[in-house]
């Protein structure tokens, strides 16, 4: 069994991006600039956005954090997004989700200029991804594809079962895994799937992306399978400084010995999601300055 070390892989990719930024700046371009919009004080969102800002510093990007209180109106948020869309200093931006209930996430996502939508959530980017056109691919599926490639994991003709059909992970990943460059045979399983255990046991590549801690047990996994754990549920813990620890969707201790490859939580898919956002921002910066 080999652990797919997303932390080490993302560190390698960050070094590559940092080198690319040096060349980009030496050619007379300003640094790529990512902005993050954060509404409220949700603990998870605060942590994720802080990591994104830190990642930008590490690779030499400029970053901006734009904060609003929980009671911000949808109108105010839309106005700020319109400003970011036309701000020539910003290459890409994200609006951290979830948003408070009085704000329509879909309306906010659709207000973002697709060319600055480095999260790849806008329907234009989702649609382009589906038909294989150049697009911003949502960060977690993008990170998973990068991991499979960097670990030379054979995907062609393999059965890939994705448990979870969210718009930001399961569904876009199913599209990418079935594309010609990857050539997997894809099943998307969900809460209404019959005989889920049997469906999962048929997977050469099993992706757990349902957000239910330790849902995937040993008897759901085929001997020698590749297991990708996308789960990141924050559970209370006395053992960490933050008072929380991350739990994956896979029962790691029992499942890992059966796998050919497995991603740990933390240190698997999570760091790759973060680095994918940097890659999308680099692409945005280069696209906005053709010839760079
Ligand atoms: N909330 C959870 N994951 C994400 C993400 O990848 N992007 C944004 N904007 N919000 C999130």
């Amino acid at each position: 069994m080999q652990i797919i070390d997303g932390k080490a892989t993302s560190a390698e990719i960050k070094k590559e991006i940092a080198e690319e930024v040096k060349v980009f700046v030496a050619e007379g371009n300003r640094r790529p600039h990512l902005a993050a919009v954060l509404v409220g004080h949700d603990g998870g969102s605060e942590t994720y956005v802080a990591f994104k800002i830190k990642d930008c510093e590490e690779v030499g990007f400029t970053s901006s954090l734009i904060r609003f209180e929980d009671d911000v109106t949808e109108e105010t948020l839309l106005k700020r997004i319109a400003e970011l869309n036309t701000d020539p200093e910003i290459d890409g931006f994200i609006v951290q989700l979830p948003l408070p209930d009085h704000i329509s996430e879909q309306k906010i996502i659709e207000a973002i200029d697709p060319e600055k939508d480095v999260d790849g959530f806008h329907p234009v980017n989702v649609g382009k991804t589906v038909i294989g056109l150049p697009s911003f691919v949502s960060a977690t599926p993008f990170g998973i594809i990068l991991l499979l490639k960097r670990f030379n994991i054979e995907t062609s003709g393999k059965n890939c079962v994705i448990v979870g059909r969210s718009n930001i992970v399961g569904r876009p990943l199913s599209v990418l895994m079935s594309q010609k460059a990857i050539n997997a045979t894809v099943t998307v399983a969900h809460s209404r799937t019959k005989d889920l255990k049997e469906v999962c046991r048929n997977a050469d590549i099993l992706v757990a992306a349902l957000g239910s801690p330790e849902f995937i047990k040993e008897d759901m996994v085929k001997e020698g399978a590749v297991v990708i754990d996308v789960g990141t549920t924050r559970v209370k813990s006395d053992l960490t400084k933050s008072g929380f620890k991350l739990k994956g969707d896979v029962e790691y201790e029992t499942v890992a010995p059966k796998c050919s490859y497995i991603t740990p939580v933390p240190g698997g898919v999570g760091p790759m999601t973060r680095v994918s956002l940097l890659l999308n921002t680099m692409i945005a910066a280069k696209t906005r300055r053709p010839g760079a």
Side-chain angles (χ1 to χ4, degrees):
M1 185 273 294
Q2 193 178 339
I3 293 174
I4 301 180
D5 186 341
K7 198 170 169 195
T9 308
S10 74
E12 274 171 31
I13 297 175
K14 271 198 238 174
K15 270 196 201 147
E16 293 164 16
I17 299 171
E19 284 304 313
E20 212 177 328
V21 172
K22 272 190 200 150
V23 173
F24 191 61
V25 171
E27 285 170 350
N29 298 292
R30 65 158 172 70
R31 293 176 182 282
H33 187 168
L34 173 71
V37 177
L38 177 60
V39 178
H41 300 275
D42 172 77
S45 294
E46 292 263 6
T47 307
Y48 291 134
V49 169
F51 276 140
K52 289 169 188 178
I53 300 288
K54 182 168 153 275
D55 288 340
C56 284
E57 278 167 22
E58 275 178 35
V59 298
F61 287 3
T62 307
S63 62
S64 300
L65 174 57
I66 298 157
R67 302 195 70 128
F68 291 98
E69 287 304 318
D70 271 316
D71 59 359
V72 66
T73 63
E74 193 175 86
E75 193 189 352
T76 303
L77 204 50
L78 287 169
K79 192 162 162 273
R80 193 68 183 92
I81 288 170
E83 287 165 7
L84 290 167
N85 282 341
T86 53
D87 185 340
E89 297 297 312
I90 305 278
D91 294 302
F93 65 98
I94 62 149
V95 179
Q96 187 66 26
L97 305 178
L99 293 170
D101 288 344
H102 67 279
I103 298 173
S104 158
E105 287 187 355
Q106 197 54 35
K107 207 166 171 183
I108 296 299
I109 288 169
E110 289 183 25
I112 299 171
D113 178 348
E115 290 189 6
K116 292 193 175 186
D117 168 40
V118 284
D119 255 334
F121 292 171
H122 192 284
V124 165
N125 281 314
V126 176
K128 284 184 172 178
T129 302
V130 170
I131 58 173
L133 292 176
S135 60
F136 291 119
V137 176
S138 131
T140 300
F142 187 9
I144 292 170
I145 299 294
L146 288 174
L147 272 184
L148 294 172
K149 285 196 175 147
R150 293 242 168 182
F151 281 79
N152 291 317
I153 291 170
E154 182 61 76
T155 53
S156 185
K158 301 292 180 188
N159 287 332
C160 173
V161 175
I162 300 167
V163 187
R165 54 181 162 183
S166 70
N167 285 345
I168 63 176
V169 184
R171 212 181 291 279
L173 183 63
S174 71
V175 167
L176 296 174
M177 290 300 291
S178 67
Q179 275 176 352
K180 281 215 166 134
I182 311 273
N183 288 315
T185 303
V186 182
T187 304
V188 180
H190 45 77
S191 55
R192 300 289 172 93
T193 297
K194 277 190 192 154
D195 301 326
L196 181 63
K197 194 193 286 187
E198 281 314 305
V199 171
C200 290
R201 283 179 70 87
N202 189 38
D204 301 309
I205 302 170
L206 178 62
V207 182
L210 67 160
S212 174
E214 301 190 327
F215 181 88
I216 301 291
K217 312 282 190 214
E218 176 265 337
D219 63 353
M220 301 169 83
V221 179
K222 176 160 86 176
E223 197 74 45
V226 175
V227 172
I228 307 291
D229 189 349
V230 185
T232 52
T233 306
R234 292 171 97 229
V235 295
K236 287 218 161 83
S237 168
D238 297 334
L239 303 173
T240 62
K241 214 166 61 180
S242 66
F244 289 97
K245 70 174 182 178
L246 288 185
K247 269 233 184 284
D249 287 350
V250 176
E251 195 180 71
Y252 188 87
E253 282 71 26
T254 58
V255 170
K258 289 187 88 171
C259 301
S260 55
Y261 291 90
I262 187 167
T263 61
V265 176
V269 173
M272 294 302 294
T273 297
R274 285 164 50 189
V275 90
S276 298
L277 181 64
L278 298 176
L279 287 168
N280 276 346
T281 306
M282 191 75 228
I283 293 168
K286 288 193 158 175
T287 311
R288 287 168 52 70
R289 268 151 286 172

